[in-house]
Amino acid sequence: MKGLFITLEGPDGSGKSTIARFLADYIKEKGYDVITTREPGGTKISEDIRDIILDNNNTSMSYVTEALLYAASRAQHVSQKIRPAIDEGKVIICERFVLSSLVYQGIGRGLGIEKVKEINDFAIQGVEPDLILFFDIPPEIAIRRKTKKNQGDRLEREKLDFHRKVYEGYLSLMEVYEGKIKTIDATKTKNDTFQQAKAALDNLFEKI
Ligand code: TYD
């Protein structure tokens, strides 16, 4: 079997990391070889780029630089980790992918969807997710969950206005990914959220 590439999307604090772990355990139990990974990051070079992007001292970073760094981090991640795993028939659970850049940089930062898509098309060289799970939670609730835990990185410290734009950006792009994207109500308990994500996965596995 060719591998399966599943990405998790949604606002900061929507619970993607927790559900990624639950899903990986579930897929393992089903007998598949699974890896979990994240963006920005996932390889040494990509994690190094992540540190630059999220560094709270980098207040002078231009939005174009930010978008290119996310794309650069992604290019390395795809070539070194994701494509090889797909070729080996693995199931890949990845927190965030191109949709994050379209929404955060394209809409949130105002760089425009087309430009951001262009640099990302170059970065991913045709590797597209088989399924996108969108963790739907209004930013007001999600941010409260997150900032209870820590001070927040450079992106998390953005004002609520930015996170609202990001959230609405996600909603506005749903139809572009129609058929590939499944909305999960992430305002519920962890277990309830997991059950919804699991159902979407079961559905995908039935089709292969
Ligand atoms: P992440 O560590 O996934 O944050 P969280 O756990 O809160 O989801 O991502 C770090 C930040 O980077 C997050 O604020 C979203 C942002 N981001 C972009 O702006 N563009 C991108 O392409 C990606 C992958 C992330």
Side-chain angles (χ1 to χ4, degrees):
M1 159 187 126
K2 180 183 151 287
L4 280 179
F5 180 31
I6 300 157
T7 64
L8 277 42
E9 290 282 354
D12 295 58
S14 55
K16 297 181 295 299
S17 308
T18 310
I19 304 302
R21 283 199 305 276
F22 289 178
L23 285 176
D25 289 344
Y26 175 64
I27 295 166
K28 233 176 271 165
E29 274 167 30
K30 275 166 101 75
Y32 294 97
D33 212 348
V34 59
I35 63 165
T36 53
T37 188
R38 69 164 181 186
E39 291 210 338
T43 69
K44 163 81 171 71
I45 294 170
S46 309
E47 291 284 339
D48 286 350
I49 298 172
R50 175 190 177 94
D51 290 343
I52 299 171
I53 302 172
L54 299 180
D55 187 340
N56 280 323
N57 295 317
N58 284 339
T59 47
S60 60
M61 187 182 294
S62 83
Y63 293 165
V64 173
T65 306
E66 183 184 283
L68 288 166
L69 286 177
Y70 278 116
S73 162
R74 181 163 298 130
Q76 185 64 29
H77 191 206
V78 166
S79 69
Q80 192 181 340
K81 194 166 179 179
I82 297 174
R83 192 193 291 278
I86 294 173
D87 291 345
E88 288 163 14
K90 293 184 178 156
V91 179
I92 301 115
I93 307 278
C94 180
E95 288 176 54
R96 299 191 179 280
F97 199 58
V98 173
L99 183 52
S100 280
S101 282
L102 299 182
V103 169
Y104 281 79
Q105 281 65 53
I107 297 173
R109 300 302 202 197
L111 294 178
I113 301 287
E114 286 74 25
K115 277 274 171 282
V116 175
K117 183 171 184 304
E118 220 172 89
I119 57 172
N120 276 281
D121 281 345
F122 184 47
I124 63 175
Q125 301 281 309
V127 173
E128 301 275 359
D130 297 290
L131 173 69
I132 304 171
L133 299 178
F134 169 56
F135 289 67
D136 187 353
I137 183 168
E140 295 79 5
I141 303 175
I143 293 293
R144 221 177 300 142
R145 275 188 191 170
K146 264 227 121 138
T147 44
K148 250 194 279 177
K149 290 187 203 145
N150 56 42
Q151 296 300 304
D153 61 42
R154 197 173 62 84
L155 270 279
E156 283 164 9
R157 285 199 197 174
E158 287 293 333
K159 296 208 167 52
L160 189 57
D161 272 5
F162 174 78
H163 291 290
R164 235 300 99 239
K165 247 205 242 173
V166 163
Y167 177 62
E168 276 155 20
Y170 270 120
L171 298 183
S172 73
L173 287 180
M174 285 294 119
E175 59 201 40
V176 176
Y177 287 91
E178 214 189 337
K180 232 184 203 187
I181 196 158
K182 178 83 185 77
T183 299
I184 308 288
D185 178 354
T187 60
K188 301 279 165 51
T189 63
K190 276 180 194 165
N191 187 50
D192 193 292
T193 307
F194 170 57
Q195 294 306 325
Q196 297 173 62
K198 181 167 156 287
L201 241 74
D202 285 339
N203 196 23
L204 177 69
F205 279 106
E206 269 165 30
K207 287 194 211 138
I208 56 169

